[in-house]
Amino acid sequence: MRTFRSYLPDIMADLSDRQKYGAQRLMRNLWRARGLLAVAIIALFCVHLFGDLPFMVLPAAIVALLLAAAISGDAEEADEERRATAEAGEMQSLSAENLAAAVTDPLIVFDDSASVIHANAAAIAAFGDLRPAMSLQLKFRAPEMQALIDAALSGGGSQSADFIDKLPVERVYRVTASAVGHGSRLHVLLFKDQSEARRIDRMRADFIANASHEMRTPLASIAGFIETLRGPARNDPAAREQFLQIMQNQTGRMARLIDDMLSLSRLEMKPYLKPGARVDVRQVVESVVDSLGPLAKESDLVIERDFADGPMETPGDRDELYQVFENLVENACKYGRDGDRIVVSIARSDKAPQPGIEVTVRDFGPGIPEEHIPRVTERFYRIDSETVQSRKGTGLGLAIVKHILTRHHGRLSIQSELGKGSAFTVYLPTN
């Protein structure tokens, strides 16, 4: 049995620690009140030097100031401790459900038997029914999810895997499984939606592949004609003239392709913000029709105008809207040449959800097969027919139109019937 004497070293060490803590706290308090102490001490010295203050009063006043500063510091430290205690109490009062609800990504909490304990609103919206006690292994039957859940239950630490949910629409998630704390026997699945990033990557890869294909064809044609001109057609003026004309057409096609690609790239770099300037759509369309009059004449077409009276303004960028209508009228001249006219009309629209302006470019050419209409605004998409392939184009015009209209909060609708022509209608809001 230990005697009291054996406890003395421990007691002294404890007192020493307390004294050290008290000294440290006193120094912190004095440091906090250093400005006040300095002013007070200087004032006391001034009174002592120039007044009748007795000498012993000065040390007493300094000691009193030091005590006051220490007490003030203790009060501040007590307030800080109370605030920290209150914050800790608030953290402890937060429930797991509240924390899960604050997470915007789908989150599922499950136990060692792979049964659902809790699913937040985002998870229920994404995956439907996730009631408590439901088996996760029956809910997510994909092999990658089965392996991820098994790895989490085996205590392998944080694990991640890609999961593709095909219904109701295909979504790609990066799923992370990890344990909740130590010894809690709870685990969590966190789903990060990667669908948009994957779509952009796929679109970028398709764009590069399509652009490379479009550029390769005219380059191969030009290279072949150069080889012919340097060989068999070296001294044949007629062949040389014919080949040079074809080469000029191919270089023009490449130049148009590059211009359209740069235009689309510039549009994609701009933010999707509603432009602030007001544009008179009637004036823009009139300028387009006037500038493309010679092209229509070359194709033996007449452009008819059917414009409503008065100015029609919309928030927008004039140059971009000019590009929209230029593409549409130019396409009508290219693909509607089997008809005899093109009708460009402008009218006010009172359709819900808000009033706007409708501009329609109608041709009377061969029309577009119904199955191709939903895809004609895709980049480089072309209808597989000799009539269309013979026209000059890059396959980017309608993609540029759609992108500009999206930025202007507008939309494009297409109606077509084989043998009767096509109508492209642009809707732009007035506010």
Side-chain angles (χ1 to χ4, degrees), residues 48 53-62:
H48 172 69
L53 188 67
F55 178 76
M56 292 303 296
V57 173
L58 180 61
I62 293 175

Side-chain angles (χ1 to χ4, degrees), residues 5-184:
R5 184 183 300 273
S6 65
Y7 285 103
L8 284 178
D10 297 336
I11 296 173
M12 295 303 295
D14 183 57
L15 289 176
S16 177
D17 291 339
R18 292 182 180 179
Q19 289 172 354
K20 290 178 181 178
Y21 173 75
Q24 291 173 354
R25 186 173 64 178
L26 178 61
M27 292 304 297
R28 286 198 303 268
N29 295 340
L30 293 176
W31 178 254
R32 291 170 182 166
R34 61 188 183 280
L36 177 63
L37 286 173
V39 173
I41 291 172
I42 292 173
L44 288 172
F45 270 111
C46 291
V47 172
H48 172 69
L49 292 175
F50 301 103
D52 297 330
L53 188 67
F55 178 76
M56 292 303 296
V57 173
L58 180 61
I62 293 175
V63 171
L65 286 172
L66 292 174
L67 291 175
I71 294 171
S72 174
D74 287 340
E76 292 180 3
E77 188 169 352
D79 290 340
E80 291 179 0
E81 291 178 356
R82 281 194 294 272
R83 283 194 297 270
T85 303
E87 292 174 357
E90 291 177 359
M91 287 299 296
Q92 292 176 358
S93 66
L94 286 176
S95 67
E97 292 186 7
N98 291 335
L99 293 174
V103 179
T104 57
D105 296 313
L107 183 145
I108 302 172
V109 181
F110 62 101
D111 60 16
D112 281 346
S113 63
S115 298
V116 175
I117 300 298
H118 177 74
N120 66 357
I124 295 173
F127 307 116
D129 184 22
L130 282 168
R131 61 185 179 276
M134 174 183 285
S135 173
L136 279 180
Q137 293 173 327
L138 293 179
K139 179 66 176 179
F140 299 101
R141 297 177 179 271
E144 58 271 19
M145 288 297 294
Q146 297 282 330
L148 184 63
I149 294 171
D150 290 341
L153 296 178
S154 64
S158 181
Q159 305 284 335
S160 297
D162 290 332
F163 167 60
I164 300 177
D165 187 23
K166 297 184 180 295
L167 296 174
V169 295
E170 183 173 310
R171 309 292 296 177
V172 181
Y173 294 96
R174 184 66 176 173
V175 189
T176 301
S178 57
V180 179
H182 297 284
S184 66

Side-chain angles (χ1 to χ4, degrees), residues 203-414:
M203 184 176 62
R204 185 182 296 111
D206 292 343
F207 181 77
I208 293 174
N210 290 329
S212 301
H213 173 75
E214 293 290 331
M215 295 289 287
R216 186 183 294 113
T217 302
L219 282 174
S221 176
I222 293 172
F225 287 125
I226 291 175
E227 184 178 353
T228 304
L229 288 173
R230 296 180 65 182
R234 181 189 300 270
N235 299 318
D236 188 343
R240 183 168 60 247
E241 185 64 27
Q242 179 186 1
F243 292 162
L244 287 175
Q245 181 62 47
I246 296 174
M247 291 168 64
Q248 183 178 4
N249 294 339
Q250 295 295 335
T251 55
R253 178 186 172 189
M254 285 193 295
R256 290 192 299 273
L257 178 61
I258 292 172
D259 288 342
D260 284 349
M261 289 172 62
L262 291 175
S263 178
L264 191 57
S265 177
R266 284 192 296 267
L267 288 170
E268 289 179 339
M269 291 177 65
K270 292 182 179 180
Y272 282 94
L273 299 177
K274 193 173 182 178
R278 303 288 295 182
V279 180
D280 191 333
V281 176
R282 179 190 178 99
Q283 292 181 357
V284 174
V285 175
E286 285 182 340
S287 299
V288 170
V289 172
D290 292 339
S291 64
L292 293 180
L295 177 62
K297 190 174 182 181
E298 290 178 5
S299 302
D300 296 326
L301 294 169
V302 176
I303 301 179
E304 299 179 359
R305 311 183 193 203
D306 183 14
F307 297 170
D309 296 332
M312 297 189 181
E313 292 187 344
T314 182
D317 183 289
R318 188 185 188 282
D319 292 337
E320 291 183 6
L321 291 179
Y322 186 96
Q323 193 173 7
V324 167
F325 301 123
E326 183 182 42
N327 273 315
L328 295 179
V329 176
E330 189 175 1
N331 282 347
C333 293
K334 290 177 185 176
Y335 305 115
R337 63 177 61 176
D338 294 339
D340 57 355
R341 61 196 174 103
I342 297 170
V343 178
V344 181
S345 60
I346 306 176
R348 292 182 177 84
S349 172
D350 296 327
K351 298 178 182 178
Q354 60 178 332
I357 302 168
E358 288 186 349
V359 181
T360 301
V361 179
R362 182 185 301 275
D363 66 66
F364 298 89
I368 304 172
E370 184 178 358
E371 65 270 18
H372 293 288
I373 292 177
R375 299 193 61 188
V376 294
T377 57
E378 295 179 11
R379 302 175 183 185
F380 298 110
Y381 185 82
R382 292 183 181 181
I383 302 171
D384 189 15
S385 68
E386 295 181 1
T387 303
V388 174
Q389 291 290 344
S390 64
R391 308 297 196 243
K392 295 179 179 179
T394 62
L396 292 175
L398 290 179
I400 292 174
V401 167
K402 183 178 179 181
H403 204 97
I404 293 175
L405 292 179
T406 300
R407 183 171 179 266
H408 284 72
H409 297 220
R411 62 178 180 269
L412 174 69
S413 63
I414 304 172

